[in-house]
């Protein structure tokens, strides 16, 4: 019997083009190897988790939408999704949510709910409930406590497009999403981007969700029975050798602190996965611990097999990937919709390096 498989997709704004290209290549390769052109990633993964743009991608994967269609959606709509909001709203957010909202309604179906039978695999979305100051993990798992049909506030009745939009409502970039629950809409919450929870990389949280009994799944945690494939949106470690304290103004910190916290949290989630899981793929975490591919950690035996697929978006990292002409200043922007072609090139190069026989054997039939 094959192991349970989890696919986790990071947040990262328009940089979601990178994991889309990786997953498009993965789906094409699996279809070719099996001789089944109708194969989809939902046929190979038992749980798909995503945060922010990763939540949008994960929802589409769970709906069994072909990865090539997902790629066309992102490449064709990126510029429209980052259309500036009117000047009266710039004090609150920069971009108009309506284009993204309309596209998601059309794509997923305006009335498709989290409990819809159209979802062909388990789905886990990460968002932040600003009203209750808490991370929300929303899944279509039938055994989840808040998915019981007798509840007035059953999560399965929530609209899928709205949950995906809520997870991608990055503060300052997009307007928050207001979600009402219950037959009389008695429960009203304001949601913002899941990247604000510390789980912008949702891989370890997805592992915990799948194996921790109260969430309702209770899968066995053993490296030969559980596989986690985590796909990132690229990362840049902001190093400034000439930084002086005098430059660290209020405006500097308003820009840097959220980015720095998301970067650190993402690295920590990756480190946790490599500590608890058997890491077979992933670039070094840092100079001190390396990549943890073949070293002892505190957790023995390992609880899952782990692959981390991500690209360094520094100039050196892009050159090593075979993209020396790609400008790091372009591909590091969360809202750089005009640079989707460069992001696409990075994603294709990353796929060429990451889709090894070792990985494909683990994900194959």
């Amino acid at each position: 019997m094959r192991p349970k498989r989890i696919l986790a997709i990071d947040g990262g704004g328009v940089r979601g083009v990178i994991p889309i290209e990786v997953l498009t290549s993965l789906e094409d390769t699996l279809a070719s190897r099996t001789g089944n052109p109708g194969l989809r990633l939902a046929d190979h993964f038992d749980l798909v988790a995503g945060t922010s743009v990763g939540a949008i991608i994960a929802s589409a994967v769970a709906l069994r939408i072909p990865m090539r269609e997902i790629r066309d959606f992102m490449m064709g709509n990126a510029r429209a999704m980052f259309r500036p909001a009117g000047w009266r709203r710039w004090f609150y957010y920069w971009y108009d949510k309506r284009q993204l909202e309309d596209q998601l309604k059309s794509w997923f179906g305006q009335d498709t709910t989290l409990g819809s039978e159209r979802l062909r695999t388990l789905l886990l979305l990460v968002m932040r409930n600003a009203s209750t100051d808490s991370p929300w993990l929303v899944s279509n798992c039938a055994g989840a406590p808040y998915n019981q049909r007798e509840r007035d506030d059953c999560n399965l009745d929530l609209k899928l497009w709205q949950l995906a939009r809520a997870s991608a409502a990055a503060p300052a970039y997009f307007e928050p999403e207001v979600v009402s629950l219950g037959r009389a809409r008695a429960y009203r919450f304001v949601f913002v981007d899941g990247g604000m929870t510390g789980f912008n990389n949702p891989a370890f949280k997805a592992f915990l969700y799948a194996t921790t009994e109260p969430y309702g799944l209770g899968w066995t945690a053993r490296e030969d029975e559980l596989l986690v494939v985590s796909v990132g949106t690229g990362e840049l470690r902001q190093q400034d050798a000439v930084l002086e304290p005098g430059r660290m103004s209020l405006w500097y910190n308003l820009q840097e602190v959220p980015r720095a916290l998301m970067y650190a949290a993402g690295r920590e989630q990756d480190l946790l996965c490599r500590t608890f899981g058997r890491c077979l793929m992933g670039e070094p975490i840092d100079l001190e611990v390396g990549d943890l591919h073949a070293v002892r950690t505190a957790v023995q035996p390992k609880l899952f097999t782990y692959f981390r697929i991500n690209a360094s978006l520094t100039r050196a990292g892009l050159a090593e990937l075979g993209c020396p002409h790609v400008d790091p200043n372009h591909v590091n922007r969360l809202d750089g919709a005009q640079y989707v072609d460069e992001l696409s090139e990075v994603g294709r190069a990353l796929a060429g390096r990451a889709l090894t026989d070792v990985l494909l054997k683990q994900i194959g039939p």
Side-chain angles (χ1 to χ4, degrees), residues 284-342:
I285 293 284
D286 57 35
L287 295 176
E288 187 170 15
V289 303
D291 57 26
L292 297 181
H293 287 188
V295 300
R296 182 178 178 84
T297 67
V299 181
Q300 299 290 338
K302 298 298 186 179
L303 303 182
F304 56 96
T305 299
Y306 177 61
F307 290 81
R308 174 64 172 170
I309 303 172
N310 204 15
S312 169
L313 301 182
T314 61
R315 191 166 296 282
L318 290 167
E320 193 273 333
L321 196 60
C323 304
H325 52 282
V326 172
D327 189 335
N329 295 318
H330 292 174
V331 294
N332 275 286
R333 291 181 53 180
L334 299 178
D335 58 348
Q338 64 270 46
Y339 305 121
V340 290
D341 290 336
E342 291 177 71

Short mmCIF file of all heavy atoms in Angstrom, two decimals, residues 284-342:
data_model
loop_
_atom_site.label_atom_id
_atom_site.label_comp_id
_atom_site.label_asym_id
_atom_site.label_seq_id
_atom_site.Cartn_x
_atom_site.Cartn_y
_atom_site.Cartn_z
N PRO A 284 20.51 24.03 1.43
CA PRO A 284 20.91 24.23 2.82
C PRO A 284 20.04 25.28 3.53
O PRO A 284 19.70 26.31 2.95
CB PRO A 284 22.37 24.70 2.71
CG PRO A 284 22.85 24.10 1.42
CD PRO A 284 21.67 24.14 0.50
N ILE A 285 19.71 24.99 4.78
CA ILE A 285 18.96 25.95 5.61
C ILE A 285 19.83 27.16 5.92
O ILE A 285 19.43 28.31 5.75
CB ILE A 285 18.51 25.29 6.93
CG1 ILE A 285 17.47 24.20 6.65
CG2 ILE A 285 17.96 26.33 7.90
CD1 ILE A 285 16.10 24.69 6.33
N ASP A 286 21.05 26.90 6.38
CA ASP A 286 22.02 27.95 6.64
C ASP A 286 23.41 27.31 6.70
O ASP A 286 23.56 26.10 6.52
CB ASP A 286 21.70 28.74 7.92
CG ASP A 286 21.59 27.86 9.16
OD1 ASP A 286 22.34 26.87 9.26
OD2 ASP A 286 20.75 28.16 10.03
N LEU A 287 24.43 28.11 6.99
CA LEU A 287 25.80 27.61 7.00
C LEU A 287 26.06 26.69 8.19
O LEU A 287 26.99 25.88 8.16
CB LEU A 287 26.78 28.79 7.03
CG LEU A 287 26.78 29.69 5.79
CD1 LEU A 287 27.72 30.87 5.99
CD2 LEU A 287 27.18 28.89 4.55
N GLU A 288 25.26 26.80 9.23
CA GLU A 288 25.51 26.02 10.44
C GLU A 288 24.97 24.60 10.34
O GLU A 288 25.67 23.63 10.63
CB GLU A 288 24.89 26.72 11.65
CG GLU A 288 25.23 26.07 12.98
CD GLU A 288 24.82 26.93 14.15
OE1 GLU A 288 24.03 27.87 13.97
OE2 GLU A 288 25.28 26.64 15.27
N VAL A 289 23.71 24.44 9.93
CA VAL A 289 23.10 23.10 9.92
C VAL A 289 23.13 22.44 8.55
O VAL A 289 22.90 21.23 8.43
CB VAL A 289 21.65 23.14 10.44
CG1 VAL A 289 21.59 23.72 11.83
CG2 VAL A 289 20.73 23.91 9.50
N GLY A 290 23.38 23.20 7.49
CA GLY A 290 23.41 22.62 6.15
C GLY A 290 22.03 22.20 5.68
O GLY A 290 21.03 22.83 6.02
N ASP A 291 21.96 21.11 4.92
CA ASP A 291 20.67 20.70 4.35
C ASP A 291 19.98 19.60 5.15
O ASP A 291 18.83 19.24 4.85
CB ASP A 291 20.84 20.27 2.89
CG ASP A 291 21.84 19.13 2.71
OD1 ASP A 291 22.05 18.35 3.66
OD2 ASP A 291 22.40 19.01 1.60
N LEU A 292 20.65 19.02 6.14
CA LEU A 292 20.09 17.98 7.02
C LEU A 292 19.63 16.74 6.25
O LEU A 292 18.73 16.03 6.71
CB LEU A 292 18.91 18.54 7.84
CG LEU A 292 19.23 19.67 8.83
CD1 LEU A 292 17.97 20.09 9.58
CD2 LEU A 292 20.30 19.23 9.83
N HIS A 293 20.24 16.47 5.10
CA HIS A 293 19.83 15.31 4.32
C HIS A 293 20.26 14.00 4.97
O HIS A 293 19.54 13.01 4.89
CB HIS A 293 20.44 15.38 2.91
CG HIS A 293 19.80 16.41 2.05
ND1 HIS A 293 20.09 16.53 0.70
CD2 HIS A 293 18.89 17.38 2.31
CE1 HIS A 293 19.39 17.53 0.18
NE2 HIS A 293 18.66 18.06 1.15
N ALA A 294 21.41 13.96 5.61
CA ALA A 294 21.93 12.68 6.10
C ALA A 294 22.57 12.84 7.47
O ALA A 294 23.63 12.27 7.74
CB ALA A 294 22.95 12.13 5.10
N VAL A 295 21.92 13.60 8.34
CA VAL A 295 22.46 13.79 9.69
C VAL A 295 21.40 13.42 10.72
O VAL A 295 20.20 13.40 10.43
CB VAL A 295 22.91 15.25 9.91
CG1 VAL A 295 24.00 15.63 8.92
CG2 VAL A 295 21.74 16.22 9.81
N ARG A 296 21.84 13.15 11.91
CA ARG A 296 20.94 12.79 12.99
C ARG A 296 20.31 14.05 13.58
O ARG A 296 20.98 15.07 13.77
CB ARG A 296 21.70 12.03 14.08
CG ARG A 296 20.82 11.58 15.24
CD ARG A 296 21.63 10.78 16.26
NE ARG A 296 20.80 10.40 17.39
CZ ARG A 296 20.01 9.33 17.40
NH1 ARG A 296 19.96 8.53 16.35
NH2 ARG A 296 19.29 9.04 18.47
N THR A 297 19.02 13.98 13.86
CA THR A 297 18.33 15.06 14.56
C THR A 297 17.69 14.49 15.82
O THR A 297 17.82 13.30 16.11
CB THR A 297 17.24 15.70 13.67
OG1 THR A 297 16.20 14.75 13.44
CG2 THR A 297 17.82 16.17 12.34
N ALA A 298 16.97 15.31 16.55
CA ALA A 298 16.37 14.87 17.81
C ALA A 298 15.27 13.84 17.61
O ALA A 298 14.93 13.11 18.55
CB ALA A 298 15.81 16.08 18.56
N VAL A 299 14.71 13.78 16.41
CA VAL A 299 13.57 12.89 16.17
C VAL A 299 14.05 11.65 15.43
O VAL A 299 14.45 11.71 14.27
CB VAL A 299 12.48 13.61 15.35
CG1 VAL A 299 11.28 12.69 15.13
CG2 VAL A 299 12.03 14.89 16.06
N GLN A 300 14.00 10.52 16.10
CA GLN A 300 14.36 9.22 15.53
C GLN A 300 13.38 8.17 16.05
O GLN A 300 13.16 8.12 17.27
CB GLN A 300 15.79 8.84 15.91
CG GLN A 300 16.86 9.80 15.43
CD GLN A 300 17.06 9.76 13.93
OE1 GLN A 300 16.71 8.78 13.27
NE2 GLN A 300 17.63 10.83 13.38
N PRO A 301 12.77 7.35 15.24
CA PRO A 301 12.86 7.37 13.78
C PRO A 301 12.08 8.54 13.18
O PRO A 301 11.27 9.17 13.88
CB PRO A 301 12.23 6.02 13.39
CG PRO A 301 11.25 5.76 14.49
CD PRO A 301 11.89 6.27 15.74
N LYS A 302 12.29 8.80 11.91
CA LYS A 302 11.64 9.91 11.24
C LYS A 302 10.15 9.63 11.05
O LYS A 302 9.71 8.47 10.93
CB LYS A 302 12.30 10.17 9.89
CG LYS A 302 13.76 10.58 10.00
CD LYS A 302 13.91 11.88 10.77
CE LYS A 302 15.35 12.37 10.76
NZ LYS A 302 15.50 13.64 11.50
N LEU A 303 9.37 10.71 10.99
CA LEU A 303 7.91 10.59 10.95
C LEU A 303 7.32 10.74 9.56
O LEU A 303 6.13 10.47 9.37
CB LEU A 303 7.30 11.63 11.89
CG LEU A 303 7.76 11.56 13.35
CD1 LEU A 303 7.04 12.60 14.19
CD2 LEU A 303 7.55 10.17 13.92
N PHE A 304 8.10 11.18 8.59
CA PHE A 304 7.64 11.27 7.21
C PHE A 304 8.85 11.46 6.30
O PHE A 304 9.95 11.77 6.76
CB PHE A 304 6.61 12.39 7.01
CG PHE A 304 7.08 13.77 7.43
CD1 PHE A 304 7.61 14.66 6.49
CD2 PHE A 304 6.94 14.19 8.74
CE1 PHE A 304 8.01 15.93 6.87
CE2 PHE A 304 7.35 15.46 9.13
CZ PHE A 304 7.89 16.33 8.20
N THR A 305 8.63 11.26 5.03
CA THR A 305 9.65 11.55 4.01
C THR A 305 9.36 12.93 3.44
O THR A 305 8.19 13.28 3.19
CB THR A 305 9.61 10.50 2.89
OG1 THR A 305 9.88 9.21 3.46
CG2 THR A 305 10.65 10.80 1.82
N TYR A 306 10.42 13.72 3.22
CA TYR A 306 10.23 15.15 2.93
C TYR A 306 11.06 15.60 1.75
O TYR A 306 12.26 15.29 1.65
CB TYR A 306 10.62 15.95 4.18
CG TYR A 306 10.55 17.45 4.04
CD1 TYR A 306 9.36 18.10 3.77
CD2 TYR A 306 11.70 18.23 4.23
CE1 TYR A 306 9.30 19.48 3.67
CE2 TYR A 306 11.66 19.61 4.15
CZ TYR A 306 10.45 20.24 3.87
OH TYR A 306 10.40 21.60 3.77
N PHE A 307 10.41 16.34 0.84
CA PHE A 307 11.08 16.99 -0.28
C PHE A 307 10.74 18.48 -0.23
O PHE A 307 9.56 18.85 -0.17
CB PHE A 307 10.60 16.44 -1.62
CG PHE A 307 11.04 15.04 -1.92
CD1 PHE A 307 10.36 13.95 -1.38
CD2 PHE A 307 12.13 14.79 -2.75
CE1 PHE A 307 10.76 12.65 -1.65
CE2 PHE A 307 12.53 13.50 -3.03
CZ PHE A 307 11.84 12.42 -2.48
N ARG A 308 11.75 19.33 -0.26
CA ARG A 308 11.54 20.79 -0.31
C ARG A 308 12.07 21.30 -1.64
O ARG A 308 13.26 21.12 -1.97
CB ARG A 308 12.26 21.48 0.84
CG ARG A 308 12.22 23.02 0.80
CD ARG A 308 10.84 23.57 0.92
NE ARG A 308 10.86 25.05 1.07
CZ ARG A 308 9.78 25.82 1.00
NH1 ARG A 308 8.58 25.26 0.79
NH2 ARG A 308 9.87 27.12 1.15
N ILE A 309 11.19 21.93 -2.42
CA ILE A 309 11.54 22.45 -3.74
C ILE A 309 11.41 23.96 -3.70
O ILE A 309 10.29 24.49 -3.55
CB ILE A 309 10.63 21.86 -4.83
CG1 ILE A 309 10.70 20.33 -4.82
CG2 ILE A 309 11.01 22.41 -6.20
CD1 ILE A 309 9.68 19.67 -5.73
N ASN A 310 12.52 24.67 -3.81
CA ASN A 310 12.47 26.13 -3.76
C ASN A 310 13.70 26.70 -4.45
O ASN A 310 14.69 25.99 -4.66
CB ASN A 310 12.41 26.62 -2.30
CG ASN A 310 11.81 28.00 -2.17
OD1 ASN A 310 11.18 28.51 -3.11
ND2 ASN A 310 11.96 28.62 -1.02
N ALA A 311 13.63 27.97 -4.81
CA ALA A 311 14.73 28.63 -5.52
C ALA A 311 15.23 29.83 -4.72
O ALA A 311 14.42 30.58 -4.16
CB ALA A 311 14.25 29.09 -6.90
N SER A 312 16.53 30.00 -4.71
CA SER A 312 17.11 31.22 -4.16
C SER A 312 17.04 32.30 -5.23
O SER A 312 17.52 32.11 -6.36
CB SER A 312 18.56 30.98 -3.75
OG SER A 312 19.20 32.21 -3.45
N LEU A 313 16.46 33.44 -4.88
CA LEU A 313 16.29 34.52 -5.85
C LEU A 313 17.35 35.59 -5.73
O LEU A 313 17.16 36.73 -6.15
CB LEU A 313 14.89 35.13 -5.69
CG LEU A 313 13.72 34.14 -5.89
CD1 LEU A 313 12.38 34.85 -5.75
CD2 LEU A 313 13.82 33.43 -7.23
N THR A 314 18.49 35.24 -5.14
CA THR A 314 19.64 36.13 -5.16
C THR A 314 20.29 36.05 -6.55
O THR A 314 20.01 35.15 -7.33
CB THR A 314 20.67 35.73 -4.10
OG1 THR A 314 21.12 34.39 -4.40
CG2 THR A 314 20.06 35.73 -2.71
N ARG A 315 21.18 36.96 -6.83
CA ARG A 315 21.85 36.92 -8.13
C ARG A 315 22.66 35.63 -8.27
O ARG A 315 22.65 34.99 -9.34
CB ARG A 315 22.77 38.15 -8.29
CG ARG A 315 23.30 38.32 -9.71
CD ARG A 315 23.91 39.69 -9.90
NE ARG A 315 22.94 40.75 -9.77
CZ ARG A 315 22.06 41.10 -10.71
NH1 ARG A 315 22.03 40.44 -11.86
NH2 ARG A 315 21.22 42.09 -10.51
N ALA A 316 23.34 35.23 -7.20
CA ALA A 316 24.13 33.99 -7.25
C ALA A 316 23.22 32.78 -7.40
O ALA A 316 23.52 31.84 -8.15
CB ALA A 316 24.99 33.87 -5.99
N GLY A 317 22.09 32.77 -6.68
CA GLY A 317 21.17 31.65 -6.76
C GLY A 317 20.55 31.51 -8.13
O GLY A 317 20.40 30.40 -8.66
N LEU A 318 20.20 32.63 -8.75
CA LEU A 318 19.62 32.59 -10.09
C LEU A 318 20.64 32.12 -11.11
O LEU A 318 20.32 31.37 -12.04
CB LEU A 318 19.08 33.97 -10.45
CG LEU A 318 17.83 34.42 -9.67
CD1 LEU A 318 17.57 35.92 -9.87
CD2 LEU A 318 16.61 33.61 -10.10
N ALA A 319 21.89 32.54 -10.95
CA ALA A 319 22.94 32.10 -11.87
C ALA A 319 23.16 30.60 -11.75
O ALA A 319 23.31 29.90 -12.75
CB ALA A 319 24.23 32.87 -11.58
N GLU A 320 23.17 30.10 -10.52
CA GLU A 320 23.37 28.67 -10.29
C GLU A 320 22.22 27.86 -10.89
O GLU A 320 22.40 26.73 -11.34
CB GLU A 320 23.48 28.41 -8.78
CG GLU A 320 23.98 27.03 -8.41
CD GLU A 320 22.86 26.00 -8.33
OE1 GLU A 320 21.70 26.39 -8.05
OE2 GLU A 320 23.13 24.81 -8.55
N LEU A 321 21.04 28.47 -10.93
CA LEU A 321 19.87 27.81 -11.50
C LEU A 321 19.86 27.84 -13.02
O LEU A 321 19.07 27.16 -13.66
CB LEU A 321 18.61 28.48 -10.94
CG LEU A 321 17.27 27.77 -11.07
CD1 LEU A 321 17.31 26.42 -10.35
CD2 LEU A 321 16.16 28.64 -10.49
N GLY A 322 20.76 28.64 -13.60
CA GLY A 322 20.82 28.77 -15.06
C GLY A 322 20.04 29.96 -15.57
O GLY A 322 19.71 30.03 -16.77
N CYS A 323 19.77 30.95 -14.69
CA CYS A 323 19.02 32.15 -15.08
C CYS A 323 19.81 33.41 -14.70
O CYS A 323 19.31 34.28 -13.98
CB CYS A 323 17.66 32.17 -14.40
SG CYS A 323 16.62 30.73 -14.68
N PRO A 324 21.07 33.54 -15.17
CA PRO A 324 21.90 34.66 -14.73
C PRO A 324 21.40 36.02 -15.21
O PRO A 324 21.73 37.05 -14.62
CB PRO A 324 23.27 34.34 -15.35
CG PRO A 324 22.95 33.49 -16.55
CD PRO A 324 21.76 32.67 -16.14
N HIS A 325 20.61 36.04 -16.28
CA HIS A 325 20.12 37.30 -16.84
C HIS A 325 18.84 37.78 -16.17
O HIS A 325 18.38 38.90 -16.42
CB HIS A 325 19.85 37.13 -18.34
CG HIS A 325 18.96 35.96 -18.63
ND1 HIS A 325 19.43 34.67 -18.63
CD2 HIS A 325 17.64 35.88 -18.90
CE1 HIS A 325 18.44 33.84 -18.90
NE2 HIS A 325 17.34 34.55 -19.07
N VAL A 326 18.22 36.97 -15.30
CA VAL A 326 17.00 37.37 -14.59
C VAL A 326 17.38 38.33 -13.47
O VAL A 326 18.30 38.08 -12.70
CB VAL A 326 16.26 36.14 -14.02
CG1 VAL A 326 15.11 36.57 -13.12
CG2 VAL A 326 15.74 35.27 -15.17
N ASP A 327 16.66 39.44 -13.38
CA ASP A 327 16.96 40.49 -12.40
C ASP A 327 16.33 40.13 -11.05
O ASP A 327 15.11 40.01 -10.95
CB ASP A 327 16.40 41.82 -12.89
CG ASP A 327 16.85 42.99 -12.04
OD1 ASP A 327 17.18 42.79 -10.87
OD2 ASP A 327 16.86 44.13 -12.56
N PRO A 328 17.14 39.95 -9.99
CA PRO A 328 16.57 39.64 -8.68
C PRO A 328 15.56 40.68 -8.21
O PRO A 328 14.60 40.35 -7.50
CB PRO A 328 17.80 39.60 -7.75
CG PRO A 328 18.95 39.35 -8.66
CD PRO A 328 18.60 40.02 -9.95
N ASN A 329 15.76 41.94 -8.56
CA ASN A 329 14.83 42.98 -8.15
C ASN A 329 13.45 42.82 -8.79
O ASN A 329 12.45 43.31 -8.25
CB ASN A 329 15.40 44.36 -8.50
CG ASN A 329 16.65 44.68 -7.73
OD1 ASN A 329 16.73 44.41 -6.52
ND2 ASN A 329 17.65 45.22 -8.40
N HIS A 330 13.39 42.14 -9.91
CA HIS A 330 12.11 41.89 -10.57
C HIS A 330 11.38 40.72 -9.93
O HIS A 330 10.20 40.83 -9.58
CB HIS A 330 12.33 41.59 -12.05
CG HIS A 330 12.82 42.74 -12.84
ND1 HIS A 330 13.20 42.64 -14.18
CD2 HIS A 330 13.02 44.05 -12.51
CE1 HIS A 330 13.59 43.82 -14.62
NE2 HIS A 330 13.50 44.69 -13.62
N VAL A 331 12.08 39.60 -9.76
CA VAL A 331 11.41 38.37 -9.35
C VAL A 331 11.20 38.27 -7.84
O VAL A 331 10.54 37.34 -7.37
CB VAL A 331 12.18 37.13 -9.85
CG1 VAL A 331 12.14 37.06 -11.36
CG2 VAL A 331 13.61 37.12 -9.33
N ASN A 332 11.73 39.22 -7.09
CA ASN A 332 11.50 39.19 -5.65
C ASN A 332 10.26 39.95 -5.22
O ASN A 332 9.81 39.81 -4.08
CB ASN A 332 12.72 39.74 -4.91
CG ASN A 332 13.77 38.68 -4.67
OD1 ASN A 332 13.59 37.83 -3.83
ND2 ASN A 332 14.83 38.72 -5.46
N ARG A 333 9.67 40.72 -6.10
CA ARG A 333 8.49 41.50 -5.75
C ARG A 333 7.25 40.60 -5.66
O ARG A 333 7.01 39.78 -6.53
CB ARG A 333 8.27 42.60 -6.76
CG ARG A 333 9.30 43.70 -6.73
CD ARG A 333 9.01 44.77 -7.75
NE ARG A 333 7.65 45.30 -7.63
CZ ARG A 333 7.16 46.26 -8.42
NH1 ARG A 333 7.92 46.78 -9.36
NH2 ARG A 333 5.92 46.67 -8.25
N LEU A 334 6.47 40.80 -4.60
CA LEU A 334 5.21 40.06 -4.47
C LEU A 334 4.17 40.54 -5.47
O LEU A 334 3.25 39.80 -5.81
CB LEU A 334 4.66 40.22 -3.04
CG LEU A 334 5.53 39.71 -1.90
CD1 LEU A 334 4.85 39.97 -0.56
CD2 LEU A 334 5.83 38.23 -2.06
N ASP A 335 4.32 41.77 -5.94
CA ASP A 335 3.33 42.36 -6.85
C ASP A 335 3.94 42.69 -8.22
O ASP A 335 3.39 43.51 -8.96
CB ASP A 335 2.73 43.62 -6.25
CG ASP A 335 3.79 44.69 -5.91
OD1 ASP A 335 5.00 44.36 -5.93
OD2 ASP A 335 3.40 45.83 -5.61
N GLY A 336 5.03 42.03 -8.57
CA GLY A 336 5.70 42.31 -9.85
C GLY A 336 5.04 41.61 -11.01
O GLY A 336 5.68 40.78 -11.69
N ALA A 337 3.79 41.92 -11.26
CA ALA A 337 3.02 41.22 -12.30
C ALA A 337 3.62 41.41 -13.68
O ALA A 337 3.45 40.57 -14.57
CB ALA A 337 1.57 41.70 -12.28
N GLN A 338 4.33 42.52 -13.89
CA GLN A 338 4.92 42.77 -15.20
C GLN A 338 6.13 41.87 -15.47
O GLN A 338 6.65 41.83 -16.59
CB GLN A 338 5.32 44.24 -15.34
CG GLN A 338 6.40 44.72 -14.38
CD GLN A 338 5.85 45.25 -13.07
OE1 GLN A 338 4.98 44.64 -12.46
NE2 GLN A 338 6.37 46.39 -12.64
N TYR A 339 6.55 41.10 -14.45
CA TYR A 339 7.72 40.25 -14.60
C TYR A 339 7.37 38.76 -14.59
O TYR A 339 8.20 37.91 -14.26
CB TYR A 339 8.72 40.54 -13.47
CG TYR A 339 9.11 42.00 -13.39
CD1 TYR A 339 8.88 42.74 -12.22
CD2 TYR A 339 9.68 42.65 -14.48
CE1 TYR A 339 9.22 44.08 -12.15
CE2 TYR A 339 10.02 44.00 -14.40
CZ TYR A 339 9.78 44.71 -13.24
OH TYR A 339 10.11 46.03 -13.18
N VAL A 340 6.13 38.43 -14.95
CA VAL A 340 5.71 37.03 -14.89
C VAL A 340 6.52 36.14 -15.83
O VAL A 340 6.73 34.96 -15.55
CB VAL A 340 4.19 36.88 -15.18
CG1 VAL A 340 3.36 37.45 -14.04
CG2 VAL A 340 3.83 37.50 -16.51
N ASP A 341 6.98 36.68 -16.95
CA ASP A 341 7.78 35.87 -17.86
C ASP A 341 9.10 35.46 -17.22
O ASP A 341 9.57 34.32 -17.41
CB ASP A 341 8.03 36.63 -19.16
CG ASP A 341 6.77 36.79 -20.00
OD1 ASP A 341 5.84 35.97 -19.83
OD2 ASP A 341 6.70 37.74 -20.80
N GLU A 342 9.72 36.36 -16.47
CA GLU A 342 10.95 36.02 -15.77
C GLU A 342 10.69 34.99 -14.67
O GLU A 342 11.47 34.05 -14.47
CB GLU A 342 11.59 37.28 -15.18
CG GLU A 342 12.14 38.23 -16.24
CD GLU A 342 12.70 39.50 -15.63
OE1 GLU A 342 13.77 39.42 -14.99
OE2 GLU A 342 12.07 40.56 -15.77
#
